[in-house]
Amino acid sequence: MARILFVMTASRHWTLADGTEHPTGFWAEEFAAPYRAFVEAGHEIVVATPGGVVPPVDQVSLSPDVNGGLEGARAVAATLEAAPELRHPITLESVDVSAYDAVFYPGGHGPMEDLSRDADSARVLGEALESGRTVGLVCHGVAALLATAPTGAAAPFAGYRLTGFSRAEEEQTGLAARAEWVLEDRLAALGASYSAGEPWAPYVVVDRNLYTGQNPASSAALAAELLKALA
């Protein structure tokens, strides 16, 4: 049995370029699909957030429209309801990376607000990468890598092949033109070897111990790759 740390956003909004607070949180599918896969495989999950705040779910991510219909929406909601770890997170500040076999970051626009610049998250990621532990990030959760390279510092993931929510997808959400920055652009600027598949289709990139998924549709495929690494 592995012990997997889920690092999740504590933010209920993403601040856009004009100062507007766009309501958000974590994306339900990006928690639910990996959570189910890991728990069914017998692994232990611990959730950590900045300040130990209960992670807020993006309400849009609970709608039938983004879950393949009403049955899918009910299944995702049921997974969240049945996950006690979501209601009892530990503080990100207190995390001892050596106590975990893997670290996983769900997305949603929330991480763009807080984890993209959180020093404690950067410490967790840096220690996990350096120690060879399995590190998985999906969609906007990949934004957490940005915090590992503050201004003037070298990015520990420079040169890694990775993916994350694409500019094309952000444009289709209608938020790219309103955002202060777009994830794909920032990752490329910091020296990552970014690639993407077709918008909204599953796409996973594995490079050494770094596992990344492009979008919500990539969550299950990414979890499958992580399970192989933990076997």
Side-chain angles (χ1 to χ4, degrees), residues 6 19 52 73 84 99 114 116 132 135 144 151 154 162-163 166 185-186 205-206 225-226:
F6 273 46
D114 57 1
S116 66
V135 178
T151 303
L162 52 77
T163 190
S166 68
D185 300 343
R186 287 285 302 276
V205 175
V206 178
E225 291 297 326
L226 292 168

Side-chain angles (χ1 to χ4, degrees), residues 68-165:
L70 185 58
E71 184 177 344
R74 286 173 173 167
V76 166
T79 298
L80 302 191
E81 180 63 28
E85 299 88 348
L86 277 177
R87 293 181 289 282
H88 303 284
I90 65 172
T91 63
L92 186 52
E93 303 91 307
S94 70
V95 167
D96 177 2
V97 174
S98 68
Y100 301 92
D101 300 288
V103 177
F104 179 73
Y105 282 68
H109 281 107
M112 301 280 278
E113 181 73 18
D114 57 1
L115 299 181
S116 66
R117 54 189 176 186
D118 188 282
D120 294 302
S121 175
R123 174 186 62 82
V124 168
L125 280 170
E127 291 178 3
L129 282 171
E130 185 176 359
S131 68
R133 284 173 170 77
T134 302
V135 178
L137 311 96
V138 65
C139 200
H140 290 97
V142 183
L145 292 175
L146 301 176
T148 67
T151 303
F157 60 92
Y160 275 79
R161 292 182 296 105
L162 52 77
T163 190
F165 203 66

Side-chain angles (χ1 to χ4, degrees), residues 2-28:
R3 199 163 187 241
I4 305 171
L5 180 72
F6 273 46
V7 179
M8 301 182 67
T9 184
S11 183
R12 295 180 177 275
H13 71 270
W14 176 31
T15 305
L16 302 178
D18 64 358
T20 300
E21 293 186 351
H22 175 71
T24 185
F26 72 89
W27 197 259

